[in-house]
């Protein structure tokens, strides 16, 4: 089933053009890839192995800046990594180049996010990463509302000392029932420059289909004053290595809600795709992809089945045990 769901997820995917700069800065088979030190400036990765100790399925990750955040995290023999492309946005619906423009979801996009949440409702989540754009954040929140554990996703505000202080939680019990949501511009869609807000068909008529196709589908050619997929990959993969892999090594289960191009970049890194292979990879809106991080390697498991289908929970012994615990807690 893992093979069929993985192939289905990759074949059902469509790509929309999106991405961003920070305002102040410029599978038909199981596949595993080793990871190494999480340095944002290196691509030479050595093997890193997590320990074999078991982590609690309900233990929350420490909120950044909390007094206990410097303590050594508990490690696990495996962690779940969930990738979700946001649901349909209002500009997807209008066939406009979106990129870094901050556009919300359509009603269809809301439904897609809810459906994504149902597919992952029995998979543990300790920490959520999203882009800084509302469509990704809406998707993450709507998806987690479907989770059977009923933990509350809370956006972490560390942009200033005051923001951190004002958003403190003073109940330990409430903290245990919360999931931190960390937003990062590095996970934004690729910035489409002067194409943002233009109708795709009208743009093709104006510049020619071949030119627009080259801007949209090439790996290293950016649109006017925009980002290429290669440029998007540099920031997204560096952030993934530096910030997200350490969480997985520590045994935390991670969900990333982001965009077509930033997620394609991360998948390119995980599955060791070539620049030619990645430009043909398309990700459907609202379809989650599951990876298992085990002994320093990522194993792709494809798209989780719906909650009424048990197959995905047999992917690993730990996932099966987690669902059994949920069944016992929530009956």
């Amino acid at each position: 089933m893992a093979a069929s769901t993985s192939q289905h997820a990759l074949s059902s995917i469509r790509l929309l053009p999106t991405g961003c700069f920070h305002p102040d800065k410029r599978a038909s088979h199981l596949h595993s890839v080793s990871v190494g030190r999480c340095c944002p400036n290196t691509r030479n990765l050595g093997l890193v192995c997590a320990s074999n100790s078991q982590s609690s399925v309900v233990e929350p990750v420490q909120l950044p800046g909390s007094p206990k955040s410097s303590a050594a995290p508990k490690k696990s023999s495996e962690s779940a990594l969930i990738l979700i492309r946001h649901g349909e946005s209002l500009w997807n619906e209008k066939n406009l180049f979106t990129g870094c423009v901050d556009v919300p979801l359509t009603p269809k996009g809301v439904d897609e996010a809810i459906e994504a949440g149902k597919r992952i409702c029995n998979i543990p989540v300790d920490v959520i990463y999203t882009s800084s754009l509302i469509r990704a954040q809406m998707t993450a929140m709507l998806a987690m509302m479907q989770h059977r554990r009923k933990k509350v996703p809370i956006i972490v505000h560390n942009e200033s000392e005051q923001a951190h202080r004002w958003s403190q939680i003073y109940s330990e019990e409430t903290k245990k029932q919360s999931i931190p949501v960390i937003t990062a511009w590095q996970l934004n869609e690729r910035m489409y420059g002067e194409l943002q807000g233009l109708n795709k068909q009208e743009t093709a008529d104006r510049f020619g289909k071949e030119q627009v196709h080259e801007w949209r589908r090439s790996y290293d050619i950016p649109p006017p004053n925009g980002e290429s997929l290669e440029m998007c990959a540099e920031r997204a993969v560096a952030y993934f290595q530096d910030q997200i892999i350490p969480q997985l090594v520590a045994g935390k289960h991670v969900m990333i809600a982001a965009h077509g191009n930033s997620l394609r970049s991360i998948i390119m890194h995980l599955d060791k795709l070539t620049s030619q292979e990645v430009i043909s990879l398309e990700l459907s809106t609202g379809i989650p992809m599951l990876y298992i991080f085990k002994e320093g390697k990522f194993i792709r498991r494809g798209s989780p089945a719906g909650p009424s289908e048990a197959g995905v929970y047999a992917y690993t012994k730990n996932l099966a045990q987690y669902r059994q615990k949920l069944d016992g807690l929530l009956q």
Side-chain angles (χ1 to χ4, degrees):
M1 175 182 173
S4 62
T5 53
S6 176
Q7 186 170 7
H8 170 73
L10 292 178
S11 63
S12 66
I13 294 175
R14 68 181 184 279
L15 174 67
L16 71 89
T18 45
C20 311
F21 291 116
H22 183 272
D24 300 321
K25 301 179 181 179
R26 281 279 306 162
S28 62
H29 61 281
L30 300 184
H31 182 82
S32 64
V33 56
S34 300
V35 302
R37 288 187 176 272
C38 308
C39 173
N41 298 318
T42 181
R43 297 192 181 194
N44 297 320
L45 303 179
L47 181 64
V48 169
C49 292
S51 76
N52 291 324
S53 60
Q54 185 69 36
S55 69
S56 168
V57 296
V58 296
E59 179 190 3
V61 70
Q62 288 291 333
L63 291 171
S66 63
K68 297 181 181 179
S69 61
S70 60
K74 185 179 293 186
K75 294 186 178 182
S76 171
S77 59
E78 70 176 43
S79 301
L81 172 64
I82 302 166
L83 308 179
I84 305 178
R85 184 188 169 195
H86 65 80
E88 182 189 67
S89 76
L90 287 168
W91 276 15
N92 294 152
E93 183 183 49
K94 293 179 180 294
N95 200 34
L96 305 180
F97 285 102
T98 311
C100 276
V101 182
D102 207 357
V103 178
L105 300 179
T106 62
K108 177 183 176 182
V110 169
D111 290 341
E112 289 176 334
I114 291 172
E115 176 60 28
K118 291 177 180 178
R119 287 177 176 240
I120 64 168
C121 69
N122 291 293
I123 299 175
V125 178
D126 294 315
V127 58
I128 299 170
Y129 288 86
T130 78
S131 76
S132 65
L133 302 176
I134 191 64
R135 57 192 184 270
Q137 295 176 27
M138 288 178 69
T139 298
M141 297 298 184
L142 290 166
M144 285 314 300
M145 287 174 63
Q146 312 307 311
H147 201 279
R148 294 178 66 202
R149 188 64 182 84
K150 300 301 181 184
K151 288 189 177 182
V152 178
I154 297 178
I155 294 179
V156 176
H157 287 285
N158 274 339
E159 58 268 24
S160 69
E161 182 179 346
Q162 178 173 293
H164 171 68
R165 186 173 66 252
W166 283 18
S167 61
Q168 283 296 294
I169 300 172
Y170 294 96
S171 166
E172 291 302 319
E173 183 60 30
T174 299
K175 287 181 182 179
K176 291 178 182 179
Q177 297 303 318
S178 303
I179 297 179
V181 180
I182 301 170
T183 63
W185 68 266
Q186 294 92 332
L187 299 175
N188 284 5
E189 254 298 3
R190 88 171 157 115
M191 207 278 277
Y192 257 73
E194 296 176 17
L195 301 188
Q196 292 183 169
L198 299 182
N199 179 276
K200 294 175 186 177
Q201 183 57 53
E202 293 175 354
T203 305
D205 294 340
R206 176 181 173 183
F207 294 100
K209 291 183 179 179
E210 291 186 4
Q211 177 62 77
V212 174
H213 180 80
E214 185 175 63
W215 285 333
R216 294 185 65 186
R217 292 294 188 262
S218 64
Y219 181 68
D220 56 0
I221 300 176
N225 293 315
E227 279 186 308
S228 65
L229 178 57
E230 181 180 36
M231 296 162 70
C232 176
E234 286 178 356
R235 58 173 166 84
V237 172
Y239 184 84
F240 180 80
Q241 291 178 259
D242 188 48
Q243 300 296 325
I244 298 175
I245 286 181
Q247 294 276 17
L248 296 165
V249 170
K252 301 303 179 183
H253 307 286
V254 177
M255 184 176 87
I256 304 175
H259 307 264
N261 284 299
S262 55
L263 291 179
R264 288 165 75 211
S265 301
I266 292 172
I267 291 172
M268 177 184 181
H269 172 69
L270 296 180
D271 290 353
K272 293 185 176 180
L273 303 180
T274 67
S275 58
Q276 288 301 309
E277 289 172 330
V278 73
I279 61 177
S280 63
L281 174 64
E282 299 183 353
L283 302 176
S284 293
T285 53
I287 301 296
M289 294 289 291
L290 175 65
Y291 285 79
I292 300 298
F293 180 76
K294 186 173 183 179
E295 297 180 347
K297 296 182 179 181
F298 287 94
I299 305 169
R300 175 158 49 83
R301 295 296 191 178
S303 181
S308 62
E309 302 177 52
V312 66
Y313 308 110
Y315 278 167
T316 71
K317 181 179 179 180
N318 284 9
L319 287 183
Q321 290 176 339
Y322 181 80
R323 182 174 185 176
Q324 289 172 1
K325 289 186 178 182
L326 285 179
D327 290 342
L329 287 170
L330 304 175
Q331 279 180 351

